[in-house]
């Protein structure tokens, strides 16, 4: 099947969370448009909309306009909405794994993952920090011609950010920050911007770690010892990179217009400006993989699950970005 005739696949995430709700609302918003998708999940969780059980992904194309296609085989009996249960971990992980396989085999264009609860999965034996690392492990042996990730990019309209360190205590960030990690994140980001998002000559900025970019060593030496040498190495590779730049002046409108992505040193340095700019519409994209994968930039929302309160903007944006990236990769 040609690219535009292949659907996306969406893994349902934790069945007790808001994943099924935002997927259903996304289908309601998109079912008459050009981006068909099917769900790897339990049809019992989607009773608010018309659904159609299918046995192969290609069947999505015939039914998507009138009903949400759900691939057979991902039932999660006993779900109590809002109450996560490790008993469902096997199905949650199997949905992700099958989604990866469907994209690798060419049956689907891209994978969109609804939120998982890492603590719930870990209680059932899951040993990865999150989706990003799990996908990296699943795809470790798959052929890929560019610099391999996984690297996490968060995006909203007008801003893309890539944290070099992700899920760790703030006190651990200086210990985990290395020249190699910065160079790797920037290379993967630059290649993905070109290959998947059509940015011909990506412009990157690299944030400093310390206030005032260290103030010539007065507030720390990570800038001179780690970050600046990494920037110089990237420039020597031919990449358009500036930094280290003080993070407090990096994200206002005029500054954002000068770069295509910001390489940030830690989680909140990247996420705070992104969520301040657009709290509801953020997308998490995993770069440097043999497949396209995006996800809404929010959690499982167990506290509001089943109450009709979950907003679908982030899921809709994740679906649309996955389609854009898949199209870009097919044309590269």
């Amino acid at each position: 099947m040609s690219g535009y005739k292949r659907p996306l696949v969406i893994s349902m995430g934790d069945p007790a969370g808001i994943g099924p709700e935002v997927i259903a609302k996304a289908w309601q918003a998109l079912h008459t448009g050009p981006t068909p998708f099917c769900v790897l999940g339990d049809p019992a969780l989607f009773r608010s909309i018309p659904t159609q059980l299918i046995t192969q992904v290609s069947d999505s194309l015939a039914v998507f306009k009138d009903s949400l296609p759900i691939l057979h085989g991902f039932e999660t009996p006993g779900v109590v909405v809002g109450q996560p249960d490790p008993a469902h971990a096997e199905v949650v992980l199997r949905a992700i794994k099958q989604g990866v396989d469907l994209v690798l085999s060419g049956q689907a264009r891209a994978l969109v993952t609804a939120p998982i609860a890492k603590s719930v999965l870990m209680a059932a034996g899951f040993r990865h920090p999150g989706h990003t690392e799990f996908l990296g492990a699943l795809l470790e042996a798959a052929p890929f011609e560019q610099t391999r990730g996984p690297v996490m990019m968060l995006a909203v309209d007008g801003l893309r950010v890539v944290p070099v360190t992700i899920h760790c205590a703030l006190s651990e960030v200086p210990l985990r920050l290395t020249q190699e990690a910065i160079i790797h994140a920037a290379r993967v980001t630059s290649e993905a911007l070109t290959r998947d998002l059509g940015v011909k000559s990506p412009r990157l900025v690299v944030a400093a770690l310390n206030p005032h970019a260290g103030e010539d060593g007065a507030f720390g030496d990570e800038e001179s010892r780690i970050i600046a040498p990494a920037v110089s190495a990237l420039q020597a590779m031919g990449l358009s990179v500036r930094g280290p730049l003080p993070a407090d002046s990096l994200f206002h409108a005029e500054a954002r217009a000068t770069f295509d992505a910001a390489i940030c040193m830690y989680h909140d340095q990247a996420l705070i400006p992104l969520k301040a700019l657009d709290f509801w519409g953020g997308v998490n994209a995993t770069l440097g993989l043999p497949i396209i994968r995006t996800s809404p930039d929010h959690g499982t929302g167990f506290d509001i699950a089943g109450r009709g309160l979950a907003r679908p903007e982030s899921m809709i944006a994740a679906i649309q970005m996955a389609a854009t990236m898949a199209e870009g990769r097919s044309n590269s």
Side-chain angles (χ1 to χ4, degrees):
M1 290 180 288
S2 62
Y4 77 95
K5 291 183 179 178
R6 291 179 292 138
L8 310 178
V9 289
I10 304 180
S11 58
M12 66 177 171
D14 194 296
I18 62 174
E21 182 178 338
V22 295
I23 292 170
K25 290 178 177 178
W27 176 82
Q28 289 176 310
L30 301 173
H31 70 101
T32 59
T35 309
F37 55 83
C38 72
V39 175
L40 313 181
D42 188 344
L45 302 173
F46 297 90
R47 290 176 177 153
S48 64
I49 58 172
T51 61
Q52 178 67 53
L53 269 179
I54 59 175
T55 57
Q56 54 186 7
V57 173
S58 59
D59 295 338
S60 305
L61 304 174
V63 304
F64 183 75
K65 182 178 178 181
D66 299 311
S67 57
L68 174 66
I70 300 179
L71 197 65
H72 177 75
F74 297 93
E75 290 72 21
T76 50
V79 170
V80 178
V81 176
Q83 298 182 25
D85 188 341
H88 301 129
E90 186 275 331
V91 178
V92 171
L93 295 176
R94 181 158 50 84
I96 298 169
K97 291 175 183 176
Q98 185 154 346
V100 167
D101 290 341
L102 289 167
V103 182
L104 275 179
S105 68
Q107 298 176 65
R109 300 172 65 195
L111 171 64
V112 180
T113 58
I116 58 174
K118 292 179 282 291
S119 60
V120 177
L121 296 181
M122 287 176 178
F126 187 67
R127 291 295 176 263
H128 298 276
H131 257 130
T132 300
E133 297 84 359
F134 182 47
L135 289 165
L138 289 176
L139 290 158
E140 187 174 8
F144 188 58
E145 296 177 356
Q146 294 192 312
T147 306
R148 186 177 291 272
V151 165
M152 184 172 76
M153 180 180 77
L154 294 305
V156 296
D157 187 20
L159 180 61
R160 304 181 186 101
V161 293
V162 174
V164 175
T165 63
I166 306 176
H167 296 126
C168 66
L170 191 58
S171 60
E172 294 181 17
V173 170
L175 304 176
R176 296 192 182 192
L177 204 60
T178 65
Q179 294 181 38
E180 292 77 13
I182 296 168
I183 291 168
H184 178 254
R187 287 186 63 190
V188 171
T189 301
S190 182
E191 291 173 9
L193 289 174
T194 299
R195 178 174 180 173
D196 301 333
L197 290 165
V199 181
K200 293 184 178 180
S201 300
R203 303 162 300 164
L204 303 183
V205 292
V206 177
L209 174 66
N210 296 299
H212 302 182
E215 195 74 58
D216 295 324
F219 304 142
D221 67 351
E222 287 84 3
E223 283 72 23
S224 60
R225 182 169 52 88
I226 300 172
I227 305 173
V231 171
S232 296
L234 289 163
Q235 292 169 340
M237 296 174 189
L239 276 68
S240 174
V241 186
R242 294 182 291 122
L245 301 173
D248 64 350
S249 58
L250 197 54
F251 298 107
H252 62 89
E254 291 83 356
R256 295 197 311 271
T258 67
F259 61 84
D260 299 298
I263 309 300
C264 300
M265 297 302 102
Y266 57 94
H267 181 279
D268 285 9
Q269 187 183 66
L271 271 291
I272 288 172
L274 187 97
K275 291 188 176 185
L277 190 62
D278 184 355
F279 185 78
W280 301 108
V283 177
N284 180 339
T286 307
L287 310 181
L289 295 180
I291 68 169
I292 298 297
R293 177 263 176 165
T294 65
S295 179
D297 183 29
H298 59 67
T300 50
F302 293 125
D303 58 327
I304 62 169
R307 298 168 58 190
L309 301 176
R311 293 179 56 157
E313 291 97 325
S314 188
M315 175 59 79
I316 292 170
I319 291 168
Q320 293 172 330
M321 186 171 181
T324 297
M325 293 177 72
E327 187 69 19
R329 184 169 295 196
S330 67
N331 291 332
S332 65

